[in-house]
Amino acid sequence: MTNIRRLGELHVQTARTKAFRVFAFAGAVFPGEWSNLYIEAITQDLLEFAFHARRVNQICDLDTKKFSSIKVLPVVISENDPGNWVENYDWALNRLMHAREFEFGNCHSDHRILFPNAESNLIPLYVKVATDQRSMETISLFGLVNCFLCVVIPEVRRRFPNWLF
């Protein structure tokens, strides 16, 4: 087994674990009073995911592959769409790695109120990121990790059928 193969396997494993966590957060409803706690947890997982997923792209030579748009949301935004959505998977990973400004975004879960006594019911939905070369752009949490789990991992398995992850 080559060192680069094992490195690739480890990056896939770690990125997948972090992607599952971000995916679970992006599909959950939280009371507004918990926002500081879950935002911190998601942010940590998201940044670790982005690092490992970007390395998967580099090691597996996927950074030039065109994936479908990551502007995929688990809900419809009826008001205050942040706009300027990043649709390219690889670009989103790069934005996260080079972030100079970072803003977390939720949507109100008016259709699924799980905490009737809370100040609000929120679904973690996106991050807005600016780099030294790009102004604020919006990245769908769901769309980003969904692309990794449903498109990138199958492509890695196709290219490297003997990899263990």
Side-chain angles (χ1 to χ4, degrees):
M1 179 181 315
T2 64
N3 288 340
I4 197 68
R5 172 186 168 172
R6 187 62 190 140
L7 189 60
E9 291 170 345
L10 292 171
H11 282 296
V12 171
Q13 289 171 351
T14 305
R16 181 178 54 198
T17 298
K18 296 302 178 178
F20 281 136
R21 288 180 49 89
V22 173
F23 191 89
F25 274 119
V29 176
F30 295 93
E33 294 86 346
W34 296 0
S35 63
N36 288 341
L37 297 170
Y38 72 75
I39 287 171
E40 189 170 302
I42 296 170
T43 300
Q44 176 110 11
D45 286 335
L46 177 64
L47 295 177
E48 288 181 34
F49 161 76
F51 169 76
H52 292 286
R54 189 166 181 245
R55 288 296 294 141
V56 169
N57 279 7
Q58 293 167 340
I59 291 169
C60 298
D61 198 27
L62 297 175
D63 38 5
T64 58
K65 183 161 177 58
K66 299 293 181 212
F67 298 110
S68 57
S69 173
I70 62 165
K71 185 186 173 195
V72 179
L73 303 171
V75 296
V76 174
I77 299 175
S78 58
E79 299 177 11
N80 302 318
D81 185 318
N84 203 20
W85 292 88
V86 176
E87 295 195 29
N88 182 290
Y89 171 75
D90 194 50
W91 294 353
L93 296 176
N94 287 337
R95 304 293 192 274
L96 289 166
M97 288 294 86
H98 296 283
R100 295 272 177 133
E101 294 179 53
F102 187 92
E103 183 181 310
F104 198 90
N106 297 290
C107 71
H108 287 276
S109 177
D110 297 334
H111 68 289
R112 194 169 140 212
I113 297 174
L114 298 181
F115 303 95
N117 296 326
E119 66 181 35
S120 57
N121 282 247
L122 302 173
I123 298 174
L125 196 62
Y126 62 86
V127 292
K128 291 178 77 171
V129 178
T131 68
D132 58 345
Q133 297 180 0
R134 307 290 297 194
S135 60
M136 284 293 226
E137 295 176 292
T138 310
I139 299 170
S140 165
L141 298 172
F142 177 86
L144 181 67
V145 296
N146 183 62
C147 183
F148 180 79
L149 294 169
C150 297
V151 181
V152 173
I153 285 182
E155 180 65 19
V156 172
R157 285 195 190 284
R158 186 186 70 73
R159 289 182 182 205
F160 306 98
N162 296 326
W163 279 24
L164 304 173
F165 58 87

